[in-house]
Amino acid sequence: MNSSHYEIEYKYLVDPAQIDYQKFPYAQIEQAYIHTSPVIRIRRMNDDYILTVKSSGMVKHIEYELPLTAAEYTALAQKAEGYFIQKKRYYLPYFWSGKEYVIELDIFEGCFTGLILAEVEFASEEEAAAFQPPAWFLKNVSHEPQYHNSFLAKHGSTYH
């Protein structure tokens, strides 16, 4: 699974009451940050464990992923800074302009209960800029650092 790629994604505040998201598949996620600048993150997604290193950038950045064992994840978790993030990530299909997108709807848990964000990945910055989100997307917060997971892990639930 070793992989490196550019990631271009937008984050949105949403109104989940406008969609029946619970009928879609989801993953249970726990993640923590060893470092936030540059981002070095560990993540448990269901039964998979991943170490991720991300370059700087709010919308576009290079991301490198490396698989971990459960034991490696547990050992690295002891080195984590700040708060652990727990969330359910629902995968919702969305069709726009002849293309299918996957909306990753994050329902945060634990100390972040109440925060709900959607992320959409794009092939280019031009595609991201032209994107028309569904009506239940309230606000694009891609350039607002307080909605990025690394910020939340470092500062806690300051989004309220």
Side-chain angles (χ1 to χ4, degrees):
M1 172 170 84
N2 296 3
S3 66
S4 176
H5 62 276
Y6 267 104
E7 182 179 72
I8 300 168
E9 68 181 10
Y10 276 9
K11 288 182 179 287
Y12 299 87
L13 290 174
V14 300
D15 179 1
Q18 294 187 36
I19 188 154
D20 187 14
Y21 65 86
Q22 294 176 325
K23 68 180 182 182
F24 294 98
Y26 72 90
Q28 189 69 47
I29 296 174
E30 175 185 81
Q31 62 190 41
Y33 290 78
I34 308 301
H35 203 271
T36 56
S37 183
V39 169
I40 301 172
R41 176 188 74 204
I42 56 170
R43 173 182 279 173
R44 179 185 54 78
M45 184 179 299
N46 295 330
D47 295 325
D48 293 325
Y49 301 88
I50 305 159
L51 172 70
T52 303
V53 179
K54 291 185 178 190
S55 67
S56 62
M58 295 296 247
V59 172
K60 179 180 179 182
H61 46 265
I62 296 173
E63 184 174 278
Y64 181 77
E65 294 183 335
L66 182 69
L68 296 172
T69 65
E72 290 168 334
Y73 175 86
T74 300
L76 286 170
Q78 296 175 28
K79 307 289 185 192
E81 299 176 350
Y83 299 85
F84 276 71
I85 293 177
Q86 297 168 326
K87 57 189 174 182
K88 282 186 180 173
R89 172 169 286 169
Y90 290 86
Y91 300 94
L92 290 67
Y94 178 64
F95 296 91
W96 177 77
S97 191
K99 183 174 179 184
E100 181 178 4
Y101 293 88
V102 175
I103 295 171
E104 295 179 344
L105 183 66
D106 288 344
I107 310 295
F108 288 77
E109 300 171 338
C111 68
F112 300 104
T113 295
L115 179 61
I116 301 173
L117 293 171
E119 295 181 0
V120 181
E121 287 193 25
F122 302 96
S124 70
E125 291 178 81
E126 295 76 22
E127 180 184 347
F131 181 70
Q132 293 295 312
W136 53 278
F137 280 35
L138 302 176
K139 180 181 177 189
N140 184 333
V141 294
S142 303
H143 297 284
E144 298 182 34
Q146 70 268 27
Y147 293 104
H148 288 257
N149 287 310
S150 57
F151 183 95
L152 293 170
K154 188 173 184 177
H155 299 284
S157 59
T158 60
Y159 64 88
H160 288 293

